[in-house]
Amino acid sequence: MKVVTVVGARPQFIKAAVVSHIIRKEHTEILVHTGQHYDYNMSEQFFNELNIPAPDYNLGISGGSHAQMTAKMMVSIEEVLMKEEPDCLLVYGDTNSTLAAALAAAKLHIPICHVEAGARTHCMTNPEEINRICTDHVSTLLLASTQSGIDSMSKEGLAERGVLVGDPMYDAFLEYSKIRKKEDVELLLLNGEKRSLPAVFYYLTCHREENTNDDKDLLEIFNAMQQLDAPTVYSVHPRNKARAKRLQERYNFNNIILCEPVGYLDSVCLVNNAKKIVTDSGGLQREAFFAGIKCVTILDFVVWPETMVDNRNELAKPKASDIIEKLNNKQKIDSAYKPFGDGHSAEKIVSALENRFLRRV
Ligand code: UD1
Ligand code: UDP
């Protein structure tokens, strides 16, 4: 079986890290990096740390409007697909790289396997929702991370294409989260200095389009974090760097540590050791859940309903008072509740690919 895998953004590198090695035991994988994420600490660092095979193609496409980025990617991905003639295309998640690859393959009648299929926010102003819905509807094999993904497929008439495989992010978390020790994490601050982790800290990430259109939301989030009883480590996505620096300097948010994006090993170490987590990241919400760390998600919609139980993950408006209120709600953990699978999702993904696309002679 020959698989073309297309990745482009940080969370996709992590998922590919656990799946690619298994595909390559018995099959051929051509790895395509669209270039959507390109800074060393958003891309190459993940390939190095997680030992991800080097991309066979790097398309070097990033930035611009959604349409510009997606359209440029489609043109280049189409060329790769026509040259490689794979048995199927494998895509992950909900980024523009996912959508571009799916549309290009669909028009070439190449079957598509979508990992993280069926996830829905029911919010059509959320760009990732458009990417997810379109990708699912042109895909042949829909691999859901959770039961709610399968339920969404049923509602949209897609259930026959669906298989529940669990969450490869959970596989990665189990495999990599005990490697980095807290005392070995070295943060590179946005002012160029280096420092170790505070003994007690909150972990913040914030990069979604919904929270980064103007200063207002980040200012409210900073106002909340400034009031907390321990410093906040904010790993700043490049999208938010200039704004975060400017707001900190202007309002003297001295309880917030602004740092460059950290590698995955550091990030999961931060998750495991944080007092609490505040985020708008789909991946970080799940990792907080895996680690049993209380999470507050600054979005208007639920991405992973499975995490929203017993106060373990709560939505908050980008308002300081709401964030503080939700952070103060105590969570309850039922250790038998494991909605993201058994940590062997990657094997199940490859089995599903084989069952569907392997040409048997
Ligand atoms: C993208 C995904 C989002 C995902 C996130 C993961 C879409 C629509 N969004 O959002 O679903 O949660 O990745 O992190 O695909 N930039 C850099 N250096 C980089 C990467 C980006 O400077 O290494 C800049 C880009 O030039 C751009 C901005 O950050 O100006 C946003 O990047 P983009 O890839 O458009 O979206 P993300 O916010 O990263
Ligand atoms: N992450 C990381 N370094 C950081 C911030 C996040 O390695 O500085 C990891 C995080 O632990 C999770 C993944 O990136 O595994 C989530 O990706 P992101 O938040 O960029 O995207 P989303 O999950 O929202 O699509």
Side-chain angles (χ1 to χ4, degrees):
M1 183 172 62
K2 182 175 183 182
V3 180
V4 165
T5 299
V6 175
V7 294
R10 178 165 68 181
Q12 293 163 338
F13 308 144
I14 299 162
K15 290 160 207 166
V18 291
V19 177
S20 282
H21 295 294
I22 301 180
I23 294 180
R24 286 166 190 240
K25 280 185 190 163
E26 294 191 21
H27 308 289
T28 304
E29 183 187 47
I30 304 294
L31 189 61
V32 181
H33 186 332
T34 60
Q36 181 168 352
H37 286 176
Y38 51 89
D39 291 343
Y40 172 80
N41 55 16
M42 296 290 288
S43 175
E44 199 181 329
Q45 183 166 12
F46 290 80
F47 283 79
N48 295 344
E49 276 191 347
L50 307 183
N51 201 19
I52 304 168
D56 298 280
Y57 296 86
N58 196 324
L59 308 179
I61 300 164
S62 61
S65 69
H66 283 276
Q68 285 167 341
M69 190 198 291
T70 310
K72 282 185 196 158
M73 286 175 182
M74 280 182 70
V75 173
S76 295
I77 293 168
E78 183 182 59
E79 281 169 17
V80 173
L81 292 173
M82 289 199 308
K83 183 168 164 224
E84 297 293 345
E85 298 183 342
D87 295 305
C88 68
L89 168 81
L90 175 63
V91 287
Y92 298 95
D94 54 19
T95 70
N96 290 344
S97 299
T98 314
L99 176 66
L103 290 178
K107 296 289 180 91
L108 293 172
H109 306 163
I110 293 169
I112 302 159
C113 171
H114 183 208
V115 173
E116 250 178 49
R120 294 287 183 271
T121 61
H122 306 288
C123 173
M124 288 304 283
T125 54
N126 168 226
E128 289 81 11
E129 181 72 349
I130 300 165
N131 293 348
R132 284 185 207 108
I133 292 175
C134 295
T135 302
D136 278 350
H137 281 258
V138 296
S139 292
T140 314
L141 182 59
L142 300 177
L143 302 184
S145 303
T146 58
Q147 183 56 43
S148 66
I150 297 285
D151 297 344
S152 305
M153 290 176 205
S154 299
K155 287 184 197 139
E156 295 175 30
L158 299 171
E160 278 187 1
R161 304 184 218 167
V163 182
L164 180 61
V165 292
D167 185 359
M169 287 294 270
Y170 186 43
D171 297 20
F173 183 82
L174 294 177
E175 185 168 342
Y176 295 107
S177 84
K178 298 283 180 277
I179 296 175
R180 181 77 80 242
K181 291 196 179 67
K182 189 181 163 196
E183 48 284 7
D184 294 334
V185 174
E186 189 176 62
L187 302 172
L188 175 59
L189 307 188
L190 291 195
N191 66 11
E193 290 169 13
K194 291 185 175 164
R195 64 158 292 171
S196 52
L197 273 178
V200 183
F201 64 91
Y202 294 83
Y203 185 19
L204 168 69
T205 75
C206 172
H207 69 275
R208 299 310 269 262
E209 198 168 282
E210 287 84 348
N211 290 324
T212 55
N213 282 332
D214 53 38
D215 284 0
K216 187 170 53 57
D217 294 341
L218 194 61
L219 190 55
E220 286 284 336
I221 295 167
F222 279 7
N223 271 322
M225 307 316 283
Q226 177 67 19
Q227 296 173 44
L228 299 176
D229 55 353
T232 290
V233 175
Y234 176 20
S235 149
V236 187
H237 186 289
R239 182 194 268 283
N240 243 0
K241 200 183 274 187
R243 174 171 292 128
K245 269 175 100 165
R246 181 165 44 74
L247 291 179
Q248 189 181 52
E249 278 159 21
R250 181 151 170 213
Y251 297 99
N252 189 28
F253 288 117
N254 56 8
N255 205 24
I256 302 173
I257 300 164
L258 300 184
C259 66
E260 296 285 350
V262 297
Y264 180 67
L265 301 183
D266 283 354
S267 186
V268 285
C269 179
L270 278 146
V271 168
N272 279 313
N273 289 288
K275 187 165 180 182
K276 289 173 190 173
I277 290 171
V278 177
T279 192
D280 56 10
S281 154
L284 216 73
Q285 286 176 56
R286 272 127 80 206
E287 286 164 356
F289 180 90
F290 305 153
I293 306 293
K294 162 92 191 178
C295 184
V296 170
T297 295
I298 309 187
L299 284 172
D300 272 342
F301 44 78
V302 172
V303 188
W304 295 98
E306 293 78 6
T307 63
M308 298 275 165
V309 294
D310 300 327
N311 291 340
R312 292 182 65 173
N313 182 16
E314 293 184 81
L315 293 185
K317 302 264 175 235
K319 290 268 166 258
S321 55
D322 199 32
I323 296 166
I324 301 272
E325 186 190 322
K326 302 290 164 55
L327 277 171
N328 284 334
N329 289 336
K330 285 216 160 34
Q331 66 168 348
K332 209 174 85 208
I333 295 180
D334 170 3
S335 52
Y337 174 59
K338 293 197 181 295
F340 292 94
D342 59 3
H344 294 281
S345 165
E347 287 99 317
K348 295 187 182 98
I349 290 169
V350 178
S351 295
L353 283 169
E354 287 170 346
N355 290 340
R356 189 70 181 72
F357 302 120
L358 194 59
R359 281 181 279 195
R360 294 178 206 278
V361 279

